[in-house]
Amino acid sequence: MGKKSRVKTQKSSSGASAVVSSKEIMNLISELLQKCSSSGPSAGKEWEEYIQIRGLVDKIRKKQKGMSIVFEGSREHYFPDLMSWVQENGASSDGFTVANFGTEGYGLRATRDIKAEELFLWIPRKMLMTVESAQNSALASLYSQDRILQAMGNVTLALHLLCERANPASFWLPYIRSLPQEYDTPLYYQQDEVQLLLGTQAVQDILSQYKNTARQYAYFYKLVQTHPAASKLPLKDSFTFDDYRWAVSSVMTRQNQIPTEDGSRVTLALIPLWDMCNHTNGLITTGYNLEDDRCECVALQDYKENEQIYIFYGTRSNAEFVIHNGFFFQDNAHDRVKIKLGVSKSERLYAMKAEVLARAGIPASCVFALHYNEPPISAQLLAFLRVFCMTEEELKEYLLGEHAINKIFTLGNSEFPVSWENEIKLWTFLETRAALLLKTYKTTVEEDRSMLEKPDLSLHSHVAIQLRLAEKQILEKAWATGLAKRLNFQKKLEEETPLPRCEESDIALLENTNADAKLPIILRKLEEVEEGQGIQAEEHNMEANGEPTHDEIQEKVNEDVHSSLDSFGNSNQKDQREVEDTSAR
């Protein structure tokens, strides 16, 4: 037990002890900050920039070797202290224990039968590490004077976590000692493991994540060394890149939004013990009870004694799980790939199409999703593609024709096509686009499956190939759906099948196959992300860098359905497991 001492010296290549020059490290830090703060690279140069940034980081890490604070013993050694601390501070500790579940890692195991919807876990506010607790800690003085900390709650939590880890008397030490010493987020990937993701949608986000983390570290390293308000921080003498990477990954895989004490707004928090639960498909079963001022979790399903207790992290794609949580979920019912589409402003019918889309509550340029489950496209994407493929006469019908307003409400309803020709065009577009996107990958589905069977494949390489394969499978499914639909509607056109008529009772329906979609588009929360509405890039999220190979695809798309934009930009990603506000229960 206890901490290993800080190491202020390290071995040189000759074996002699050499004092690390603070000036030498500061020069490297300055170079890193300048590199990460320069304007973004030109299209196709993102990988080259990543290698350069990683090279500087590796130099810094080599100089800092042995200077990080670590705890003796394994993580498992500290679990009894965690459970004792939990019990002493009013959290639930009955009915479960922390256990090792092999490839899934540590999680919670039921020590008795637990019924579905039974309240089995609660954590009072005083045990949570929050932005507010950071403001009342050793970080308070620096926080009050630094705008970046004030604007970025997740970075505040990361530095808060590091300061408390370095404090032997910290209230949260039993929790901090129970955290993993390393993570499987892409920040920990080797360069060749990241390289396996080149050509995928996830790679731009991963490269940006590394760049942003390096920039933040360089900025705060200089701040800690030079700002008067940081002079008494426990980070002053030792603040390594590995420290910051660990803190960022701890926060990124565990942070959540909870209401502030007065309930007036939300804040970010780390929730001890609850964050031990692993993910499965289901519904959000965790909320915050303002009356009792605690985080509460009810059982997702019935659990027998000795079974693992799971929670649902939210409707995340596997790309989001890999980037922000460090794992791939094989049976992800919410997996999807992004596709950015827009009506060209140079198109003759742009104004008419943009107006019809606006009336439906859909932007003229938007990031949509192709889904793993059925149907592969949402009601919103179906509505967009219908408008995208409309002729001038069809557009007039939805703008000026009889019952034009009512027709807007059926744009996302698969049962009421605009015309058979329109359906053929939109499904041809989807079929063509999916096929072209599949061609941008350097490996085939069969090659990926073969690689996954290699016994010597590293864990990170395995996850990277799984993610690459999952993207292709979704695109293959979209292609197959587009083909089948096109052939079906071509047959209807040839057979002169009458178009279904929309009755008044059908006006409010979007998709009869989806209960959640039985609302007008304009009354639903648009699940896709409008261009420019992503979270700020600094927030451990990604800057919108397009995939150059996908830009080249623009010129190849079927001219019959016009041209559109296509890149893999930001989605409005949630870097936290989802918690509902249950104070009204």
Side-chain angles (χ1 to χ4, degrees), residues 12-156:
S12 67
S13 57
S14 61
S17 181
V19 176
V20 178
S21 167
S22 58
K23 183 178 180 181
E24 189 177 2
I25 291 181
M26 186 62 81
N27 288 339
L28 286 171
I29 292 289
S30 297
E31 187 179 354
L32 178 63
L33 183 59
Q34 182 178 8
K35 181 64 181 177
C36 293
S37 302
S38 59
S39 58
S42 57
K45 299 294 184 180
E46 295 87 355
W47 177 251
E48 183 180 323
E49 181 192 56
Y50 169 76
I51 293 175
Q52 292 170 358
I53 292 172
R54 188 173 183 117
L56 284 171
V57 168
D58 286 345
K59 287 181 181 180
I60 292 169
R61 291 183 64 224
K62 187 176 180 180
K63 298 291 182 184
Q64 295 173 336
K65 188 175 181 180
M67 296 177 67
S68 297
I69 295 176
V70 294
F71 298 116
E72 292 177 349
S74 66
R75 180 187 179 195
E76 191 172 10
H77 180 72
Y78 295 101
F79 289 154
D81 290 345
L82 172 68
M83 297 304 293
S84 297
W85 177 71
V86 162
Q87 189 173 18
E88 290 167 4
N89 287 281
S92 57
S93 58
D94 178 47
F96 55 83
T97 187
V98 179
N100 191 333
F101 292 95
T103 56
E104 291 184 85
Y106 291 101
L108 293 187
R109 177 173 59 82
T111 55
R112 60 174 174 81
D113 290 354
I114 298 176
K115 296 294 184 183
E117 299 186 10
E118 176 185 341
L119 176 61
F120 74 98
L121 177 61
W122 58 89
I123 309 291
R125 182 182 295 273
K126 68 176 182 178
M127 294 180 63
L128 311 184
M129 295 189 74
T130 66
V131 174
E132 282 65 37
S133 66
Q135 294 176 48
N136 295 316
S137 71
L139 205 58
S141 180
L142 186 61
Y143 180 91
S144 67
Q145 299 179 52
D146 186 75
R147 291 185 179 181
I148 292 183
L149 283 178
Q150 294 167 14
M152 298 173 62
N154 48 7
V155 173
T156 299

Side-chain angles (χ1 to χ4, degrees), residues 179-216:
L179 294 174
Q181 294 186 12
E182 289 188 349
Y183 289 88
D184 291 314
T185 63
L187 293 176
Y188 283 84
Y189 279 26
Q190 298 297 319
Q191 183 173 306
D192 61 333
E193 293 168 339
V194 178
Q195 197 166 8
L196 290 171
L197 289 166
L198 286 178
T200 68
Q201 289 197 3
V203 73
Q204 292 296 333
D205 290 354
I206 288 171
L207 301 186
S208 295
Q209 181 189 61
Y210 194 92
K211 178 180 178 179
N212 292 338
T213 302
R215 178 170 61 242
Q216 292 162 11

Side-chain angles (χ1 to χ4, degrees), residues 139 152-164 216 235 239 243-244 246-251 270 540:
L139 205 58
M152 298 173 62
N154 48 7
V155 173
T156 299
L157 272 183
L159 293 179
H160 184 27
L161 187 61
L162 285 175
C163 289
E164 295 300 321
Q216 292 162 11
L235 307 179
F239 177 36
D243 289 334
Y244 189 68
W246 172 83
V248 164
S249 293
S250 295
V251 171
L270 298 177
H540 294 312

Side-chain angles (χ1 to χ4, degrees), residues 343-585:
V343 181
S344 173
K345 291 184 179 181
S346 63
E347 185 188 336
R348 182 175 65 86
L349 300 176
Y350 172 79
M352 296 176 71
K353 291 183 178 182
E355 177 61 24
V356 175
L357 288 169
R359 292 184 184 186
I362 302 175
S365 179
C366 187
V367 177
F368 295 94
L370 300 175
H371 295 270
Y372 167 80
N373 55 0
E374 291 289 351
I377 68 172
S378 65
Q380 290 91 344
L381 180 49
L382 176 61
F384 176 89
L385 290 175
R386 281 177 169 170
V387 177
F388 185 78
C389 296
M390 281 183 184
T391 64
E392 186 171 357
E393 290 303 312
E394 288 168 343
L395 288 165
K396 287 179 180 178
E397 280 294 310
Y398 281 78
L399 289 171
L400 305 171
E402 187 179 4
H403 306 303
I405 295 178
N406 289 340
K407 285 185 176 182
I408 295 292
F409 286 85
T410 65
L411 279 171
N413 191 326
S414 59
E415 294 190 6
F416 301 109
V418 174
S419 67
W420 298 135
E421 292 87 353
N422 182 270
E423 290 294 305
I424 292 169
K425 282 184 178 182
L426 78 88
W427 292 110
T428 299
F429 174 87
L430 185 67
E431 177 189 357
T432 305
R433 179 50 55 94
L436 289 171
L437 290 176
L438 280 167
K439 290 180 180 179
T440 65
Y441 292 91
K442 297 179 179 180
T443 57
T444 64
V445 167
E446 292 72 23
E447 287 171 337
D448 285 348
R449 286 175 175 156
S450 177
M451 291 178 69
L452 288 173
E453 294 176 359
K454 293 181 178 179
D456 58 343
L457 202 63
S458 70
L459 172 63
H460 296 163
S461 295
H462 194 274
V463 168
I465 297 169
Q466 280 183 304
L467 183 58
R468 189 171 72 190
L469 176 60
E471 285 188 8
K472 295 174 190 173
Q473 290 173 326
I474 293 172
L475 290 172
E476 282 188 338
K477 184 176 182 180
W479 173 84
T481 300
L483 173 62
K485 293 281 189 180
R486 172 174 62 82
L487 295 175
N488 176 56
F489 290 116
Q490 282 178 344
K491 183 179 180 181
K492 289 183 181 294
L493 178 64
E494 292 167 1
E495 295 175 350
E496 298 183 349
T497 306
L499 280 171
R501 289 187 175 274
C502 179
E503 304 295 336
E504 289 295 325
S505 60
D506 297 320
I507 291 299
L509 301 184
L510 276 180
E511 289 229 11
N512 295 335
T513 56
N514 187 345
D516 182 55
K518 293 180 180 179
L519 290 172
I521 290 178
I522 56 175
L523 298 181
R524 297 181 63 209
K525 180 180 179 182
L526 188 67
E527 70 175 55
E528 280 77 26
V529 183
E530 185 172 357
E531 185 176 15
Q533 288 189 347
I535 302 173
Q536 292 297 317
E538 287 283 348
E539 293 279 351
H540 294 312
N541 283 278
M542 291 18 97
E543 299 160 347
N545 292 321
E547 190 71 54
T549 53
H550 298 154
D551 290 339
E552 295 171 0
I553 289 173
Q554 293 178 41
E555 305 302 325
K556 302 177 185 177
V557 177
N558 193 323
E559 293 180 359
D560 291 338
V561 290
H562 310 296
S563 62
S564 72
L565 302 176
D566 186 11
S567 66
F568 295 143
N570 284 344
S571 68
N572 199 351
Q573 296 164 343
K574 297 177 182 178
D575 291 349
Q576 61 275 337
R577 308 174 190 194
E578 298 187 21
V579 174
E580 293 177 334
D581 182 357
T582 59
S583 57
R585 288 182 184 173

